[in-house]
Amino acid sequence: MQNFDAIWKIYSDSFPKEERRTLEQQINILNKNRYNLNPIYHEDMLVGFYAVWDLDTFLFIEHIAIDRKFRAKGCGSKAIKNIIHKFDKIILEVEKPETYEAKRRIEFYKRLGFHLNNYDYEQPAYDDNKESVPLLIMSYPNKINENEFENVKNKLYKMVYKV
């Protein structure tokens, strides 16, 4: 994949160890049919990426990140808006609103039309050397009910996290 090294650097700099794959794991999923790793450009310069899973009934944005030098310039919003125009239902995970950054991130997604769903959820560990991470699910264009949440969680666990 073109620009993979630059994307990997942004990925590594943007997510805590517990919330990301190892390099080997990431390389292994690049050829999965349902998975896409997409660069984000601004004025012909790579500024970030987003990684998504097409899970039939919804699109799961597993990761999205903008290089620190280009944050707060509208690149992330533009990328999310482009995704929204292509898919009817979108799911993503966010940290619980326990820190300033987590609260800001949730508000960012809310401004783009996402809804916070307050159901207990844990992102399974990516491997045996990591811990699971308590997170929350956000959905677009509507909140999801408890039954929908269970379906989303089960699909994520099975198809993305392989548990």
Side-chain angles (χ1 to χ4, degrees), residues 106-119:
I106 289 168
E107 289 306 313
F108 166 78
Y109 289 120
K110 282 183 175 179
R111 285 191 303 274
L112 292 166
F114 283 81
H115 299 272
L116 189 62
N117 299 278
N118 289 309
Y119 303 111

Side-chain angles (χ1 to χ4, degrees), residues 46-161:
L46 177 73
V47 297
F49 75 94
Y50 61 95
V52 295
W53 292 84
D54 184 344
L55 300 177
D56 297 326
T57 56
F58 63 91
L59 182 82
F60 173 55
I61 302 175
E62 184 177 20
H63 293 100
I64 182 167
I66 302 296
D67 187 309
R68 294 185 197 285
K69 298 180 294 258
F70 296 96
R71 290 184 186 160
K73 297 186 184 328
C75 300
S77 296
K78 184 177 177 185
I80 294 287
K81 287 174 183 174
N82 286 337
I83 296 168
I84 286 170
H85 290 305
K86 296 175 186 172
F87 294 91
D88 295 333
K89 186 173 181 181
I90 303 168
I91 299 292
L92 55 84
E93 302 163 331
V94 291
E95 294 170 336
K96 292 186 174 189
E98 298 169 349
T99 66
Y100 173 74
E101 283 299 316
K103 289 175 188 172
R104 278 190 60 204
R105 197 168 294 114
I106 289 168
E107 289 306 313
F108 166 78
Y109 289 120
K110 282 183 175 179
R111 285 191 303 274
L112 292 166
F114 283 81
H115 299 272
L116 189 62
N117 299 278
N118 289 309
Y119 303 111
D120 288 332
Y121 176 79
E122 284 203 10
Q123 178 193 62
Y126 278 110
D127 60 50
D128 293 339
N129 298 320
K130 296 177 181 163
E131 299 291 323
S132 61
V133 181
L135 298 173
L136 292 171
I137 295 288
M138 293 191 80
S139 56
Y140 176 91
N142 304 307
K143 277 192 157 203
I144 56 176
N145 64 39
E146 195 166 352
N147 187 47
E148 290 172 305
F149 168 75
E150 286 301 321
N151 289 333
V152 163
K153 182 175 99 171
N154 291 338
K155 195 169 260 197
L156 291 176
Y157 279 19
K158 180 181 178 184
M159 299 181 84
V160 175
Y161 299 109

Side-chain angles (χ1 to χ4, degrees), residues 15-46:
F15 295 95
K17 179 182 168 186
E18 301 299 325
E19 295 179 34
R20 65 178 194 248
R21 290 184 173 80
T22 64
L23 178 59
E24 182 180 352
Q25 290 169 327
Q26 185 61 44
I27 289 170
N28 287 338
I29 67 162
L30 287 176
N31 63 355
K32 299 284 185 200
N33 289 340
R34 296 180 177 275
Y35 180 81
N36 282 298
L37 182 63
N38 304 282
I40 298 171
Y41 292 98
H42 177 69
E43 297 176 1
D44 296 327
M45 185 178 296
L46 177 73

